[in-house]
């Protein structure tokens, strides 16, 4: 693997760009591994990276049914923030944000993390009260978040319409300055490159069809399209398909899978300085470095694996965008797509051990898993390596649905994550 | 947009008239006080979430406002059948094998 540096750029310029090597090899599976990770998205690849880097476990395979980073890692709207209400969530997402800040240097790969700020609009009295409660809770937890008046929000994001007679009047906004966006593909690529350089095998186009258990109940490996692969430990990080994979090991999860859609506009010159989220009308918007407006929508109401989603949802989202940002009314949209998100009843993730010895799960991120990528990967690696959860993910157990100790961000945030 | 056949109105109507109401055929426990924590978890939170035929409740909210059940295939989102509340659950394999696949 070539270490990226200014010297390498100069060398490339002088040698006709012949000095670059492939960033990671596409492997065929070996017969056995210490750890098999199902799902080569940011979370799975990141867990492999931290297993190798921090725990010295390098006999690891990351297996994906499609191509690396081709699931929700490559389909989300790249929003990163940590202003969650509850202590458990704030610790988990702020841990991720801490890792985001130095991720490009850590991976020697530019993930284009941009702290441009995330503005969450309040359109009614309930929003104002709820967001101010979030701001206070965040400050107690040491998480950056502040309250802006409508005029201050307009100064921070000039395309915003703050006319009090608007269809969705802006009554104020919560701003997390430390939040922002990152290049989603680069996160998967950077982790893949870092993991492969430490000896991790990345196996693509190889669906895992079943998890196998021995007579003592312990995990013995996975059945795949390329045959049986033995493994001492298996970690499943397969987003919308997690419940399908886990059921083959006899573990039923409190998950439902829904399509979540996003779309991008034609590229335009820089006009949009930050990320704006409007939870009550389901509109999430930012501008990519290519110039496209990146717009996120809500989930369909029904369980589906279609990776497509229904048109009424994006119609609703675009109607809201046009009301809040009248300047975009004549923009044309280029393409839209969907990803399958796994949603838990309390809208918090499940990250930890399962009733099956040697089987670990990282799922239930719902509509907002991208922002947690480095943090989730880091604590998942810890959980797999030590066979016990990191203090940060200890509350995010599967048992909480039996004990009733939920982390109820659903009621706290109402919608978006 | 999905077109959904309401078994009460006996028409195919657009998705916007309907509200999804979760998985169907989940019976409330007959004796709630006797349930263990695990049984409560299964009743409240565990869902089948299949990649295949899903039995689910819909409500014709902006129409007759009545609840009915549907069998839908969750990869292509195709409705295999809709039937009135209280009617028995059709056999998933038979629905998939049906040559028309769109039995009302």
């Amino acid at each position: 693997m070539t270490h990226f540096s200014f010297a390498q750029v100069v060398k490339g310029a002088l040698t006709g760009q012949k000095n670059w090597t492939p960033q990671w090899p596409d492997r065929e599976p070996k017969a056995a591994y210490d750890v098999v990770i199902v799902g080569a998205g940011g979370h799975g690849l990141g867990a492999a990276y931290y297993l190798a880097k921090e725990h010295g476990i390098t006999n690891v395979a990351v297996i994906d049914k499609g191509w690396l980073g081709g699931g929700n890692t490559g389909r989300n709207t790249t929003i990163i923030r940590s202003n969650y209400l509850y202590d458990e969530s704030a610790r988990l997402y702020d841990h991720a944000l801490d890792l985001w800040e130095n991720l490009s240097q850590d991976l020697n790969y530019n993930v284009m993390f941009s702290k441009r700020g995330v503005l969450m609009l309040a359109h009614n009295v309930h929003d104002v009260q709820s967001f101010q409660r979030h701001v206070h809770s965040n400050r107690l937890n040491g998480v950056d978040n502040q309250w802006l008046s409508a005029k201050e929000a307009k100064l921070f994001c000039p395309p915003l319409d703050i006319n009090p007679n608007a269809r969705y009047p802006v009554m104020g906004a919560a701003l997390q300055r430390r939040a922002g966006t990152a290049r989603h593909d680069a996160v998967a690529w950077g982790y893949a490159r870092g993991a492969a350089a430490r000896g991790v095998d990345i196996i693509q186009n190889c669906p895992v069809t079943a998890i196998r258990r021995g007579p003592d109940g312990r995990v013995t490996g996975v059945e795949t399209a390329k045959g049986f692969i033995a493994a001492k430990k298996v970690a499943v990080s397969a987003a919308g398909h997690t419940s399908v994979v886990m059921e083959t090991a006899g573990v039923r999860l409190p998950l439902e899978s829904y399509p979540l859609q996003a779309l991008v506009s034609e590229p335009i010159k820089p006009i949009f300085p930050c990320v704006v989220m409007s939870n009550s009308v389901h509109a999430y918007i930012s501008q990519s470095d290519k110039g496209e407006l990146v717009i996120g929508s809500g989930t369909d109401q029904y369980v589906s694996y279609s990776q497509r989603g229904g048109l009424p949802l994006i119609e609703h989202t675009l109607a809201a965008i046009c009301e809040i940002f009248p300047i975009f009314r004549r923009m044309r949209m280029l393409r839209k797509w969907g990803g399958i998100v796994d949603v838990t009843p309390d809208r918090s993730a499940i990250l930890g051990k399962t009733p099956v010895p040697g089987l670990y799960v990282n799922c239930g991120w719902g509509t907002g898993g991208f922002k947690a990528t480095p943090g989730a990967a880091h604590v998942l690696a810890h959980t797999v390596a030590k066979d016990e959860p990191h203090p940060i993910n200890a509350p995010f157990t599967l048992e909480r649905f039996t004990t009733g100790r939920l982390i109820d961000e659903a009621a706290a945030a109402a919608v978006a994550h | 947009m999905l077109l959904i056949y309401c078994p009460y109105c006996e028409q195919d109507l657009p998705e916007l008239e309907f509200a999804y109401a979760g998985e169907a055929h989940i019976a409330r426990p007959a004796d709630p006080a006797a349930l263990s924590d695990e049984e409560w978890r299964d009743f409240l939170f565990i869902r089948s979430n299949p990649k295949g035929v899903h039995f689910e409740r819909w409500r014709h909210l902006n129409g007759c406002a009545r609840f009915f059940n549907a069998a839908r295939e969750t990869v292509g989102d195709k409705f295999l059948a809709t039937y009135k509340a209280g009617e028995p659950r059709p056999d998933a394999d038979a629905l998939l094998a049906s040559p028309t696949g769109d039995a009302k």
Side-chain angles (χ1 to χ4, degrees):
Chain A
M1 182 186 85
T2 312
H3 182 82
F4 295 138
S5 64
F6 181 65
Q8 282 293 333
V9 174
V10 172
K11 187 180 168 195
L14 296 175
T15 56
Q17 306 295 348
K18 299 277 173 58
N19 61 324
W20 306 109
T21 52
Q23 296 190 35
W24 60 83
D26 196 20
R27 296 281 190 202
E28 287 302 309
K30 292 192 286 191
Y33 291 93
D34 290 341
V35 178
V36 161
I37 295 172
V38 182
H43 287 235
L45 292 164
Y49 172 78
Y50 292 115
L51 273 176
K53 180 175 174 238
E54 303 204 343
H55 304 284
I57 301 172
T58 57
N59 188 21
V60 176
V62 186
I63 306 178
D64 201 282
K65 72 185 172 80
W67 66 96
L68 172 168
N72 293 347
T73 298
R75 292 165 189 267
N76 64 80
T77 53
T78 78
I79 298 172
I80 294 165
R81 62 184 180 89
S82 67
N83 49 355
Y84 281 70
L85 182 67
Y86 288 114
D87 298 352
E88 298 89 343
S89 315
R91 277 196 288 274
L92 179 57
Y93 290 102
D94 225 35
H95 178 56
L97 200 44
D98 289 342
L99 290 170
W100 275 115
E101 292 199 316
N102 204 32
L103 193 59
S104 294
Q105 287 74 21
D106 183 26
L107 294 176
N108 179 232
Y109 202 95
N110 188 2
V111 300
M112 297 167 73
F113 177 49
S114 155
K115 285 195 264 188
R116 59 186 67 182
V118 171
L119 200 61
M120 300 174 79
L121 301 180
H123 296 298
N124 51 50
V125 172
H126 172 78
D127 281 353
V128 172
Q129 290 170 342
S130 164
F131 287 173
Q132 288 189 345
R133 183 181 172 213
H134 274 68
V135 168
H136 296 315
S137 164
N138 289 155
R139 287 173 64 176
L140 289 173
N141 274 320
V143 174
D144 159 48
N145 201 7
Q146 74 181 100
W147 178 254
L148 301 187
S149 69
K151 277 186 181 162
E152 289 167 331
K154 171 85 178 166
L155 282 174
F156 193 76
C157 181
L160 196 60
D161 178 15
I162 57 164
N163 183 341
N165 298 320
R167 170 70 183 84
Y168 303 115
V170 176
M171 298 178 72
L175 171 64
Q176 188 175 27
R177 292 181 187 273
R178 203 181 158 211
T181 61
R183 174 80 202 278
H184 49 6
D185 297 323
V187 176
W189 297 337
Y191 275 130
R193 176 172 169 270
R198 287 167 173 81
V200 171
D201 283 358
I202 297 162
I203 299 156
Q204 305 181 78
N205 298 311
C206 180
V208 169
T209 51
I211 295 168
R212 290 278 173 252
R213 297 169 64 182
D216 57 348
R218 213 186 148 75
V219 157
T220 56
V222 293
E223 292 288 348
T224 74
K226 295 181 179 175
F228 178 74
I229 302 171
K232 291 177 189 152
K233 293 177 177 177
V234 174
V236 178
S237 187
H241 284 76
T242 302
S243 64
V244 177
V245 176
M246 291 295 284
E247 196 150 20
T248 65
V251 179
R252 296 190 72 202
L253 294 171
L255 292 177
E256 289 197 292
S257 298
Y258 300 98
L260 177 66
Q261 295 176 82
L263 62 166
V264 291
S265 73
E266 58 193 335
I268 51 171
K269 287 188 176 180
I271 184 170
F272 208 77
C274 59
V275 180
V276 172
M277 304 178 57
S278 176
N279 291 6
S280 39
V281 292
H282 276 306
Y284 316 98
I285 179 168
S286 63
Q287 187 173 19
S288 75
D289 293 327
K290 279 192 289 183
E292 303 154 328
L293 295 180
V294 182
I295 297 169
S297 185
T299 57
D300 274 297
Q301 46 178 347
Y302 46 86
V303 165
S304 174
Y305 291 80
S306 70
Q307 287 197 329
R308 195 168 51 222
L311 278 172
L313 279 154
I314 53 176
E315 185 184 7
H316 174 79
T317 295
L318 289 178
I321 295 281
C322 290
E323 290 292 340
I324 301 168
F325 307 101
I327 193 174
F328 295 142
R329 276 188 183 165
R330 299 182 67 183
M331 290 281 290
R332 284 164 293 193
M333 294 296 139
L334 278 192
R335 51 180 200 280
K336 70 121 188 160
W337 61 92
I340 303 302
V341 299
D342 45 330
V343 178
T344 57
D346 63 357
R347 304 295 188 275
S348 289
I350 302 168
L351 209 180
K353 298 169 73 169
T354 68
V356 178
L359 182 62
Y360 308 86
V361 71
N362 169 40
C363 65
W365 291 97
T367 58
F370 177 73
K371 65 174 78 68
T373 303
H378 185 253
V379 295
L380 176 62
H382 182 282
T383 307
V384 172
K386 312 273 186 202
D387 195 37
E388 60 184 44
H390 190 281
I392 288 174
N393 68 312
F396 292 85
T397 58
L398 187 52
E399 286 76 41
R400 73 179 189 268
F401 297 98
T402 311
T403 62
R405 184 72 179 84
L406 303 181
I407 304 164
D408 201 359
E409 290 289 344
V415 274
H417 288 271
Chain B
M1 172 140 23
L2 303 178
L3 277 180
I4 302 175
Y5 183 82
C6 172
Y8 297 103
C9 301
E10 299 182 343
Q11 289 182 74
D12 283 310
L13 293 161
E15 176 188 346
L16 289 174
E17 294 196 13
F18 296 86
Y20 178 72
E23 187 167 359
H25 303 294
I26 296 175
R28 282 189 72 81
D31 182 9
L35 255 56
S36 68
D37 287 352
E38 286 73 20
E39 287 165 326
W40 270 120
R41 174 200 62 199
D42 291 350
F43 169 68
L44 289 172
F45 299 132
I46 304 287
R47 296 293 177 262
S48 62
N49 199 32
K51 189 173 184 176
V53 179
H54 188 233
F55 293 93
E56 57 198 20
R57 300 168 77 221
W58 285 85
R59 186 180 182 204
H60 192 189
L61 186 66
N62 300 310
C64 65
R66 297 178 77 174
F67 282 91
F68 60 91
N69 292 329
R72 186 174 48 87
E73 192 276 309
T74 58
V75 179
D77 289 339
K78 183 169 185 171
F79 279 87
L80 303 173
T82 57
Y83 50 100
K84 293 174 183 171
E87 291 181 3
R89 176 208 300 245
D91 181 53
D93 294 331
L95 287 173
L96 283 174
S98 143
T100 53
D102 57 359
K104 299 289 167 67

